[in-house]
Amino acid sequence: MSEQKRTEIAALGEFGLIDRLAKKNITVNPSTLKSIGDDAAVIDNGDKMTVVSTDLLVEGIHFDLMYTPLKHLGYKSIVVNLSDIYAMNAQPKQVTVSLALSNRFSVEAVEEIYEGIYAACKAYNVDLVGGDTTSSPRGLVISVTAIGQGERDQLVYRNGAKVGDLVCISGDLGAAYLGLQILEREKRLYLDNPSVQPDLEQQTYLVGKILKPEARKDIIEMLSKNGIKPTAMMDISDGLASELHHICRQSGVGAYIEESGVSIHPDAQMMAINFKLDPITCALSGGEDYELLFTIDPSDIEKLKYLPDIYIAGEIVPKEDGITLHTKGGNIHPISAQGWQHF
Ligand code: ADP
Ligand code: MG
């Protein structure tokens, strides 16, 4: 018997694994306009482009039911997919939902998940049109596929950033990661002493960001209304550092980010210090904010400058200059791709 080579998945990491699998992917249909590698795939249907994205949420990896209400879980499972469609500058229209359920879950529990799913569909004007249901030996798995629509010349990919473009970020970063730290801390306290009740009242912003994120439909609409089409865009699900590396790699450029240009909510600032973490590290490497990272042509600056909740955080530079952080203290640090690693 020939000896089979065995490579641990952890040795490649999530992105390394996807890259390796995608190497053998040959698309044969001319309608496959964008395949693996962006926030969503793009299918050319002539008049309109169809945009498709899918995500898998696994109990114990992506969520912990000790502190995640089922309704929130349903809501979030939809929103994280819609976020990928908006990140293509497209509009989500339909979703499918597939579930694997262990016998730990009752009908009522599944109905609660669907209350959240329907609430998200209503909030974002999308229709639930199908899915699949099966049993699971352990725990809960939710897979959502979102289908959207976009105009051919309005879609925005990860590979369009050019030297001189401005790097923009919607909203504030790091809050979801700190919200998660709070929930994990309360869980440990509870497991140590079940009579202690969690104290989350003070932290509704941070806990809300992790349990009930929103997709930035509003930002996409605002950019469109103001005649701004980003040159590159993606959503921030794995952390700014990781996403910046994706845009730079695919666009063949480098970038710098000004520490002072990254918005961090005051509650996140306070909580980072509480946990003895550096707020900017939380903003760069914490995941799950579901904000948008995009680049614009410098000629669009006048149109963008006064738009609310968009921060100009840096600039695209030649590839040789690397990906760096300019700190408030005047230092320049390379930004590593270290994002949110599931493996
Ligand atoms: P996101 O963080 O935006 O959800 P991912 O990092 O999960 O994106 O995926 C990056 C790209 O790789 C996407 O184009 C996605 O469709 C593709 N992809 C992820 N996993 C697989 C897989 N197992 N097989 C084929 N393509 C995949
Ligand atoms: Mg994405």
Side-chain angles (χ1 to χ4, degrees), residues 9 16 25 35 63 79 126 146 155 170 175 182 201 224 228 230 235 245 251 259 266 274 277 296 309 311 330 342:
I9 291 174
N25 180 41
S35 176
F63 58 90
V79 163
V126 303
L155 293 181
S170 73
I182 295 169
E201 292 301 309
S224 155
I228 300 164
D235 70 337
H245 272 264
S251 299
E259 181 180 6
N274 229 312
L277 297 166
I296 59 161
D309 216 22
Y311 302 90
H342 298 299

Side-chain angles (χ1 to χ4, degrees), residues 14-15 158 234-243 246 283-290 337-342:
E14 180 184 343
F15 302 128
R158 294 177 179 180
M234 66 182 295
D235 70 337
I236 305 179
S237 52
D238 294 332
L240 175 62
S242 167
E243 319 305 23
H246 283 303
L284 282 168
S285 302
E288 304 225 49
D289 288 308
Y290 296 101
Q338 190 204 34
W340 193 246
Q341 299 287 339
H342 298 299

